[in-house]
Structures are given as structure tokens and as C-alpha cells.
Amino acid sequence: MARKTTHSIRLMKNKGKKIVMLTAYDAPTAAILSEVGVDMILVGDSVGNSLLGYESTIPVTLEDVIHHSAAVARARPDCLIVGDMPFMSYKVSVEQALENCGLMLQEGGAEAVKIEGGSDSVVSIVKTIVDAGIPVMGHIGLTPQSIYQLGGYRIQGRTADMAEALVKQAVKLEEAGAFSMVIELVPSETAKLISETVTIPTIGIGAGPYCDGQVLVLWDMLGLFEDFKPKFVKKYANVRELIKNAVSEYSKEVREGTFPDKEHSFEMTEEETGRLYGRTKSRDG
Ligand code: KIV
């Protein structure tokens, strides 16, 4: 498969080809996603909830995402790598945003950054970053870094007025130069209108079937978590059960002494074994 670029991702919308995006935070997973032809990998700040044990994405740092993005990049996937800019890593000043987005590419090996929000101040930051030559993916609708302001993980754009406000944000992000945007947790009708209005690809999560592509958090769709069951996540596997079964089997065999067996152990030649035991015997007297 040819390596995906922001250009080829944009062309997919023109050709009516759906775009497949998933999160990944490590090299082996990135290699698997590349092997099966996923178009884009998001090194999301969801690493906080998925891997680091946080309850939200707020505590995730730039260093955390860069660390995981660099691991993904070392797998050299054919997928476009998008590094998620974490909470407060791009809103303090234009200088801070430029410097940190630059680090995401230089140290994290990302090929684009994702930035949450559609307010005028975020749009202006997006424009500056794009002008500096860094591709930006926008993110509107539910923006998890603003959950305290939004009053929790609530569906956005539910009324006609709210939907129209989101369309305006999307248009401004496109005008600012974003190459695509995530739309999170909005009614299908709202996402449809946004997708029909902008010419850049929309990537939905909890936004219905009309977006130009879809993204899910990999560990949610693989079924790693027992208690996290949002309506928009379809479980394609039950990795939690697979891990539990494998670990239980291993524990049982270790306790019974049936692992490691001959097949999983190394042996000396008979001659060396004889010499070794001969020595032990002569030492015993
Ligand atoms: O961090 C993440 O995984 C995300 C997706 C939910 C879009 O931002």
C-alpha cells in the first residue's frame, strides 16, 4: 500500500472513498493497523484513559503523546500519523502552539497534529500552525478537553441552532487550512450537514454514518474495557476475555509445574550434562 499523506486523504473524499482511522499508541499495534490498510492512525490523548489509567484526557501531557507517537512512527506504518495536541499545549500563546506542534512532528514523528475546538481563537491558532507548514486536523462537537465547560460527555449540536453553529465552526476551520476534521458525539443529521458543507474530509466518532470517515479508540472497539459501553462503540472483539483466558491458563500451568515444558526450555548436550553432574558429584565428595 502507498503511504498515506494529507493530500491522499483529501482526495479520498473527492473520490467518495470512506476513510478509516483508529487510535494507536505503540509500535506493534501501528504495524498491525498498517498491515490491514488503515488510512490514518491517531495517537490520541485518549492514551490517558486507554493506557495510562487516567479518568479523562486532561492530565495527559505533551511528553506523553510525543512518547507514544514516536513509538508509532518507529513502526513506519503506511498510515498517516496524526499526533493529538493535549490539554493546554496549544492555547497559551501562538508561540507555545507553534513550538509544541513542531515538537510533535520533530520528536513524535507525527505527520499532522489534531487540535480541539472551533472557537475563533482556536481557528486563528490553526491558521498560524498551517501557515508554518504543519498540517492540522480540527476536532469539533464534543471536545473532551473541555468536558468541565461542556458539563460532561454530552451530545453536541442537538438543535438546529446548535447544528448551525457547528457548521460555522467547520467552515472556519476549513478556511483556516485544516486538511480534515473530527466530529465527535453529534446527531447524524448535524454531521451530515457539516460533511456536505465543507470540502475537507470529516471523520466521525459517535456522529453517525454520513461522515467521510470514521475513527474509534482501538481499545474500545477491541473490547478491552468491561465498564465502558457508549452507544457509538461497536465491539469487534473481546480482547479482555482473550487476555484473561491466556493469563489464567499460564498461571495454572506455572502453579502445576507444566510450564515451561521441554518445548519451551533449552538443553545441554548429553556430554556436557554428564560433565556438569560429574563435577557436582566430585564436589559432593
Ligand atoms: O484522543 C482521541 O482518541 C480522540 C478521538 C476520540 C477522536 O480525540
Side-chain angles (χ1 to χ4, degrees), residues 237-247:
N238 196 338
V239 162
R240 188 183 177 83
E241 273 313 298
L242 283 177
I243 294 176
K244 276 168 69 176
N245 290 341
V247 173

Side-chain angles (χ1 to χ4, degrees), residues 249-263:
E249 185 68 12
Y250 164 75
S251 308
K252 182 170 163 277
E253 291 191 2
V254 169
R255 288 180 186 128
E256 284 172 350
T258 52
F259 176 83
D261 53 11
K262 251 186 154 188
E263 195 189 335

Side-chain angles (χ1 to χ4, degrees), residues 152-164:
Y153 296 95
R154 304 152 72 103
I155 300 171
Q156 304 294 306
R158 279 196 118 141
T159 64
D161 284 349
M162 286 162 87
E164 216 173 282

